Amino acid sequence: MSEADATTDGAAEELPHFELVRREEIHWAERISRDHYLRRWATVSSLLVAEESTRARMLGEIGAVLDSSADTRGREMLDLPQVTDVYVYRRA
């Protein structure tokens, strides 16, 4: 897994009438049960619009990934890595 995540790179682009003062990246982990993790996946739009059989298959595949990874296999509680990007701007 790559540490680089370009999800919010656009947020630092020039903002009319503001200048970027500082950007902080805060790494943290959310402690979540396996059940809640799977329930969270069930709220993703591709699962919500899928037919029941497809949704069950997709959730089963996510469970299989959890069961096959040394980091999550057999664990009831998971540490879900998170990154919070904080941008501070000032009026130019």
Side-chain angles (χ1 to χ4, degrees):
M1 181 170 149
S2 171
E3 291 297 318
D5 179 1
T7 305
T8 58
D9 282 352
E13 292 176 8
E14 192 172 317
L15 189 61
H17 309 292
F18 291 88
E19 66 178 278
L20 179 65
V21 174
R22 189 168 104 211
R23 176 182 184 265
E24 294 288 332
E25 195 172 271
I26 302 167
H27 293 260
W28 57 285
E30 177 183 3
R31 193 121 173 102
I32 188 170
S33 72
R34 177 189 169 102
D35 182 55
H36 281 112
Y37 181 76
L38 292 171
R39 281 198 241 163
R40 185 175 291 178
W41 269 104
T43 68
V44 172
S45 59
S46 56
L47 272 88
L48 288 171
V49 299
E51 293 181 16
E52 183 59 39
S53 61
T54 302
R55 186 173 27 257
R57 179 186 52 77
M58 293 168 80
L59 287 171
E61 289 172 356
I62 294 168
V65 169
L66 293 174
D67 292 340
S68 66
S69 172
D71 292 334
T72 54
R73 182 182 316 117
R75 293 183 58 197
E76 178 54 33
M77 297 302 293
L78 309 172
D79 293 317
L80 185 60
Q82 304 282 339
V83 178
T84 300
D85 290 308
V86 178
Y87 294 85
V88 179
Y89 293 89
R90 95 170 48 116
R91 288 184 196 265

